[in-house]
Amino acid sequence: MTTPEKPSTSHSKTAGKTTIADSVVATIAGIATREVDGVYAMGGGPTRAVGAVRDRVSRSADHTRGVKVEVGERQAAVDLDLVVEYGTEIADTADDIRSNVTKAVERMTGLEVVEINVNVRDVHVPGEEPDEDEQDTARVR
């Protein structure tokens, strides 16, 4: 006795094109970078200052600050500008960032990450944020 064949329940491969916007890859890369220990902030000087004000006004974080991406049909390249905490082993942190960003982008998008450039713009030293009072007492006016 033969059993009747059941219709296949697996998903068939339907033709179509998936396009992933640069902003999607930038958001994924930004979040994955911030997850790494030793990363204090994203972006360089003016970008960080303007972004901090925008975050306070909009009450939301810009996950793409300090992130630039190029996205092709099958590959992506990422440039990251960031500030590290003082005492961070920068080379190890950069390796951890590359690994975390690659895993996140490739898993979520299916794109191959071919390059991640980590640009460390500054080192954050705890307790060295300029006080508003100090700015008012400048030696020279």
Side-chain angles (χ1 to χ4, degrees):
M1 178 170 143
T2 60
T3 57
E5 276 190 41
K6 292 182 182 179
S8 175
T9 57
S10 66
H11 299 298
S12 64
K13 296 281 184 177
T14 304
K17 182 177 178 182
T18 301
T19 303
I20 299 172
D22 291 9
S23 61
V24 172
V25 175
T27 299
I28 294 166
I31 292 170
T33 299
R34 286 171 178 81
E35 291 174 345
V36 175
D37 287 340
V39 175
Y40 175 73
M42 298 290 295
T47 304
R48 208 169 59 243
V50 169
V53 170
R54 189 174 48 238
D55 289 351
R56 273 187 239 121
V57 171
S58 70
R59 297 177 191 253
S60 67
D62 177 6
H63 297 293
T64 62
R65 183 181 319 120
V67 182
K68 294 179 192 132
V69 299
E70 284 183 51
V71 179
E73 287 186 26
R74 293 184 296 272
Q75 296 178 326
V78 181
D79 293 327
L80 303 166
D81 290 339
L82 55 100
V83 178
V84 297
E85 293 277 1
Y86 176 78
T88 298
E89 294 180 16
I90 294 172
D92 291 345
T93 299
D95 287 344
D96 291 346
I97 289 168
R98 285 185 184 95
S99 175
N100 208 43
V101 170
T102 298
K103 283 182 207 166
V105 170
E106 289 184 350
R107 180 179 57 81
M108 294 178 71
T109 67
L111 295 168
E112 176 191 10
V113 178
V114 293
E115 180 177 72
I116 299 175
N117 296 308
V118 177
N119 304 306
V120 178
R121 299 289 185 189
D122 203 354
V123 175
H124 174 256
V125 180
E128 285 203 357
E129 285 80 22
D131 291 342
E132 291 177 21
D133 296 338
E134 288 177 6
Q135 292 174 356
D136 292 339
T137 59
R139 277 188 349 174
V140 179
R141 294 196 185 247

